[in-house]
Amino acid sequence: MKRLAVFCGSSFGASEAYRTGAIQLGKEFAKRDITLVYGGSSNGLMGAVADTVLNEGGHAIGVIPRVLEEREISHNGLTELIKVETMHERKAKMADLADGYVVLPGGTGTLEEFFEMFTWGQIGLHQKPCGLLNINHYYDPLISLFDHMIEQKFLQEKFRSMAIIAEHPDVLLDKFLDYLPPTIKSY
């Protein structure tokens, strides 16, 4: 894997653990020579990951829609900043550039980005790993929801493995190397 997209919050959240986890992920990307593909902001966890990757000698590609360019304060020190018109173009460009997707804590936008990539994998639009970096157990409620979806027959068991989950970046990225996508969704 040469490029991984990261979806995460443009704020730091309530716990210092989230910032620490973002920094650890950035260091792991640089150590493994993985190029960061992300939303292009200098704010919050987004900025922390990008700054760390760059400070450690790595590469970071930002993709930012013009409507958010000033609001999220686009990062001016990136290897490359790609400006697009819409949020849809942003996700499509990030999906095209990335070999997989890592999700850090974030809000509804972060979840929306994750679920779109997850769904695309289910229906066979890509065969890339989707991982949740479960910093400070942030995604425990979502993990429980996945179990509930399976129990209630709204998510096929084979797709549970698509959500690669780990609490530490090195463990998550190691799991990415072993990822085998399930067969596409059947009805």
Side-chain angles (χ1 to χ4, degrees):
M1 288 175 291
K2 294 312 263 173
R3 292 179 175 175
L4 291 176
V6 172
F7 302 121
C8 60
S10 59
S11 66
F12 288 112
S15 172
E16 182 61 29
Y18 304 135
R19 181 194 308 240
T20 300
I23 290 168
Q24 290 171 344
L25 180 67
K27 288 181 177 181
E28 198 64 31
F29 270 38
K31 176 180 160 187
R32 295 179 187 226
D33 197 26
I34 296 171
T35 296
L36 168 67
V37 176
Y38 85 114
S41 176
S42 61
N43 292 343
L45 298 182
M46 294 171 75
V49 172
D51 287 342
T52 303
V53 167
L54 294 166
N55 290 340
E56 296 288 322
H59 300 283
I61 300 170
V63 182
I64 194 162
R66 294 187 194 284
V67 69
L68 294 180
E69 187 176 0
E70 290 181 19
R71 196 177 322 161
E72 285 190 353
I73 309 172
S74 60
H75 197 298
N76 61 9
L78 300 175
T79 308
E80 182 179 1
L81 180 63
I82 301 168
K83 297 175 185 178
V84 296
E85 294 302 318
T86 68
M87 293 295 284
H88 293 293
E89 288 178 62
R90 178 195 226 178
K91 286 184 293 186
K93 186 65 173 175
M94 290 174 70
D96 287 342
L97 290 171
D99 300 318
Y101 312 98
V102 176
V103 184
L104 277 69
T108 55
T110 300
L111 287 175
E112 185 271 333
E113 292 164 330
F114 165 71
F115 275 114
E116 186 157 358
M117 295 305 114
F118 188 87
T119 302
W120 287 4
Q122 277 185 296
I123 62 175
L125 295 180
H126 71 73
Q127 295 187 321
K128 302 172 185 179
C130 298
L132 296 169
L133 189 56
N134 195 21
I135 300 167
N136 204 29
H137 300 280
Y138 182 79
Y139 283 113
D140 285 357
L142 180 59
I143 294 164
S144 294
L145 180 59
F146 278 130
D147 295 337
H148 181 68
M149 288 179 196
I150 291 167
E151 178 184 292
Q152 296 301 311
K153 308 292 185 210
F154 286 106
L155 179 65
Q156 295 175 22
E157 177 73 39
K158 68 180 177 180
F159 294 118
R160 179 67 167 78
S161 67
M162 283 180 51
I164 301 168
I165 302 162
E167 294 178 23
H168 302 284
D170 57 335
V171 174
L172 185 71
L173 295 177
D174 285 345
K175 288 182 177 185
F176 271 37
L177 296 173
D178 296 330
Y179 177 69
L180 295 172
T183 57
I184 62 171
K185 184 175 181 178
S186 58
Y187 294 88

